[in-house]
Amino acid sequence: MAKESQADQLRTSFRGPLFTKRDTGYDDARKLYNGMIDKHPSIIAQCVDVADVIAAVNLGRDSGLPIAIRGGGHSGPGLGSIDDGLVIDLGRMKGIRVDPKARTVHVQGGCTWGDVDHATHPFGLAAPGGFVSTTGVAGLTLGGGIGYLSRSVGLTVDSLISADIVLADGRFVTASEKENKDLFWAIRGGGGNFGVVTSFEFRLHQVNSVYGGPMLWPIDQSREIMKKWRDYVLKAPEEISGWFGMMIVPPAAPFPEEFHLKKMCTIVWCDRGNGDQVKKRFTNIQKEFGKPAIDFTGPIPWPALQTLFDDLLAPGLQWYWKSDFIKEITDEAIDLHVKHGEKIPTTLSTVHFYPINGAVHKVGKKDTSFGYRDANFVQMIGAIDPDPSNNDRMISWARNYFDEVHPYSAGGSYINMTMDSDQEQVRLAYRDNYERLVTVKDKYDPLNLFHINLNIKPSESKEGVAKKHR
Ligand SMILES: Cc1cc2nc3c(=O)[nH]c(=O)nc-3n(C[C@H](O)[C@H](O)[C@H](O)COP(=O)(O)OP(=O)(O)OC[C@H]3O[C@@H](n4cnc5c(N)ncnc54)[C@H](O)[C@@H]3O)c2cc1C
């Protein structure tokens, strides 16, 4: 019952709810977004303020309990939790303060992108999140952050002004261009390796209603549509973005019944331009790409675009995913994508290609720790289904697909969209920025207290000490 006494010790300085295996509510508290992952932590500490986070970090460090940090709980491999360890869960820290004059927002570490959109939309402003609203701000931001606004304003980290962080030694610091610059560089891509981020400050952008939504074509047109999309997004104005995907049409409204369960390809658009300019652009797109079989595009409020896929992707589904950064999608690679796209194994399984050119390329390769400023696309292969008995089949589809197309990639995976966390993968994800990340890790977390992530290990000697310590 050592864990019970550690929980009792934490209770003396902790305000939020604490759960151990004996507590009612433990099973709910430990649930993760990915239904494939089932972890049993010793203590789940649901922090309500910075003082709680400091108390939890101190307990983990001094007791030797391994620590996982949980923001929105969406990590594919379940890195927001840990068996037999301490989960520092920020899910109750949902404070948000918008400053409409300065066009900034402070967001606590437990918010989702839906929380942020709700708070900023009344001011006609938005921070660049991803493609759904339920993902945690914390994990998405710390890995870089790719979304509809990437081409026009950059990655999520490119709008990050500062972050408040509880370090491994329990100190509370702010990282920005002015303070702890090395730490600020590292957290813009380096994941949860350096401390627990309790609050983020973002620059906001004028985004109220956009023009966008999905267009769908029959799967036998995917080769042609994918080529047109590739050529289009490489030269389109930065204010428009659109990701390409292959999918099975869900058997539900608003999809017309005749297309239910049909394999199709899609482009989901988001255009920040205004009025006549956008109308003209979409008339041209229709001409260039050919009339879609289903067309949902139109004016749409930003939060509505962000929530379009939330209901389809409810928590608890089985998820397995692979990703690659890509510089160039060759015609030869397109043939392979079409071959595997046509074999999508379950209704929710899918493959997406997100453009990350435009504004993402305006930030230097070494200005943040994000490893692939020179890539034009991120490919995400998602094997998704409610039924665990389909896991073997869909995982084998994802792996075969990935193995065949990986040679056409830029070499590494996006840390936020992979199940692989071995050291080789981490090095490939950060490329030339890896060694500098190790230097920052040595300074701020030399004992590798925060290692449940795509782990930047401290340098050899320090890692040896860390192992002894744990
Ligand atoms: C349905 C779905 C849609 C997605 N869409 C996108 C997308 O559009 N764009 C995109 O870029 N990514 C997307 N992702 C990937 C997403 O960015 C990652 O899964 C991300 O890790 C989720 O963050 P989280 O806080 O919800 O996760 P968690 O599981 O809570 O945490 C993930 C990682 O971040 C660390 N972490 C979490 N909170 C903190 C904190 N406060 N301080 C320090 N470290 C912390 C954790 O330790 C863990 O290693 C999507 C994921 C899902 C499941």
Side-chain angles (χ1 to χ4, degrees):
M1 286 295 104
K3 306 299 178 330
E4 292 299 330
S5 67
Q6 283 159 348
D8 287 341
Q9 188 188 331
L10 184 55
R11 272 190 186 99
T12 61
S13 53
F14 199 84
R15 282 213 165 169
L18 279 180
F19 296 91
T20 66
K21 292 178 184 174
R22 295 207 301 220
D23 291 316
T24 316
Y26 170 80
D27 279 330
D28 262 349
R30 73 182 181 82
K31 263 188 208 149
L32 294 170
Y33 177 82
N34 186 354
M36 207 180 272
I37 312 285
D38 186 24
K39 293 193 180 172
H40 291 80
S42 299
I43 303 174
I44 302 166
Q46 293 187 342
C47 306
V48 294
D49 57 18
V50 173
D52 277 0
V53 176
I54 294 173
V57 168
N58 288 340
L59 176 89
R61 186 192 57 243
D62 296 342
S63 66
L65 264 182
I67 290 176
I69 313 165
R70 177 178 175 143
H74 268 224
S75 155
L79 296 172
S81 188
I82 181 169
D83 280 323
D84 303 319
L86 167 66
V87 174
I88 301 181
D89 181 350
L90 277 80
R92 287 176 185 263
M93 291 178 61
K94 285 204 177 276
I96 298 186
R97 182 173 183 277
V98 183
D99 181 340
K101 267 200 200 142
R103 292 195 173 182
T104 59
V105 62
H106 283 86
V107 178
Q108 280 193 316
C111 291
T112 62
W113 284 104
D115 298 329
V116 178
D117 293 337
H118 172 76
T120 59
H121 187 62
F123 303 101
L125 299 169
F131 301 97
V132 301
S133 83
T134 54
T135 314
V137 169
L140 182 141
T141 301
L142 295 169
I146 288 162
Y148 285 112
L149 301 180
S150 297
R151 291 192 81 245
S152 69
V153 304
L155 300 171
T156 306
V157 285
D158 300 336
S159 291
L160 187 64
I161 300 170
S162 71
D164 292 340
I165 308 177
V166 176
L167 299 175
D169 60 9
R171 273 184 305 142
F172 176 72
V173 298
T174 296
S176 70
E177 287 293 1
K178 292 190 192 123
E179 290 175 83
N180 301 300
K181 279 178 83 162
D182 51 355
L183 184 58
F184 189 54
W185 174 84
I187 61 163
R188 285 176 290 164
N193 272 285
F194 305 94
V196 185
V197 179
T198 55
S199 180
F200 298 84
E201 181 189 6
F202 294 104
R203 197 172 302 113
L204 293 171
H205 306 274
Q206 208 163 1
V207 183
N208 195 354
S209 240
V210 294
Y211 194 96
M215 286 179 178
L216 294 95
W217 294 263
I219 195 83
D220 58 14
Q221 289 183 37
S222 9
R223 183 174 283 99
E224 171 201 342
I225 298 293
M226 192 173 178
K227 284 181 187 170
K228 286 183 176 165
W229 162 83
R230 169 197 66 191
D231 297 343
Y232 184 81
V233 291
L234 284 175
K235 57 180 178 11
E238 285 172 9
E239 61 195 4
I240 182 170
S241 189
W243 57 264
F244 175 85
M246 286 178 269
M247 59 180 285
I248 296 178
V249 175
F255 297 99
E257 251 182 74
E258 59 186 298
F259 295 107
H260 286 183
L261 297 176
K262 292 254 183 322
K263 286 184 178 153
M264 299 191 85
C265 66
T266 183
I267 301 173
V268 185
W269 298 101
C270 172
D271 192 335
R272 291 179 67 199
N274 35 33
D276 291 344
Q277 183 194 29
V278 170
K279 262 195 202 144
K280 219 162 138 195
R281 191 141 59 212
F282 274 80
T283 310
N284 287 338
I285 285 175
Q286 291 257 5
K287 270 192 213 147
E288 217 173 298
F289 286 73
K291 194 171 159 33
I294 309 173
D295 187 356
F296 290 121
T297 55
I300 179 168
W302 171 249
L305 182 66
Q306 285 279 282
T307 51
L308 270 189
F309 302 105
D310 286 4
D311 289 347
L312 273 183
L313 301 175
L317 297 169
Q318 310 287 304
W319 276 75
Y320 179 87
W321 54 8
K322 306 281 284 180
S323 75
D324 257 329
F325 286 105
I326 303 174
K327 282 189 190 162
E328 192 194 347
I329 306 179
T330 61
D331 287 357
E332 204 182 325
I334 288 182
D335 286 344
L336 292 173
H337 291 303
V338 171
K339 172 182 142 189
H340 290 281
E342 284 173 347
K343 292 186 199 157
I344 287 172
T346 61
T347 311
L348 290 173
S349 293
T350 185
V351 53
H352 295 173
F353 297 83
Y354 307 121
I356 50 162
N357 56 339
V360 178
H361 289 192
K362 288 182 181 157
V363 176
K365 277 192 200 173
K366 295 200 175 285
D367 291 351
T368 66
S369 58
F370 184 80
Y372 280 87
R373 289 284 174 184
D374 52 347
N376 285 309
F377 308 95
V378 174
Q379 178 190 8
M380 186 281 282
I381 304 170
I384 312 165
D385 198 65
D387 183 354
S389 71
N390 285 324
N391 285 356
D392 286 351
R393 192 164 60 90
M394 68 181 194
I395 290 172
S396 126
W397 167 77
R399 286 187 177 149
N400 290 339
Y401 185 168
F402 177 82
D403 288 348
E404 234 185 306
V405 295
H406 181 65
Y408 297 85
S409 76
S413 299
Y414 175 36
I415 68 152
N416 277 347
M417 294 183 178
T418 181
M419 308 292 276
D420 305 315
S421 52
D422 62 80
Q423 226 34 50
E424 181 55 18
Q425 294 304 321
V426 180
R427 276 180 181 274
L428 284 173
Y430 293 110
R431 299 155 103 192
D432 298 346
N433 287 330
Y434 185 80
E435 292 309 326
R436 188 168 162 200
L437 280 165
V438 173
T439 311
V440 182
K441 182 78 174 177
D442 281 352
K443 179 172 168 189
Y444 291 97
D445 185 17
L447 299 181
N448 208 5
L449 190 67
F450 304 115
H451 62 281
I452 305 301
N453 40 44
L454 265 77
N455 195 221
I456 315 282
K457 287 196 191 303
S459 51
E460 282 308 315
S461 53
K462 300 200 174 165
E463 176 61 5
V465 178
K467 275 195 186 128
K468 254 190 245 159
H469 184 83
R470 286 206 294 270

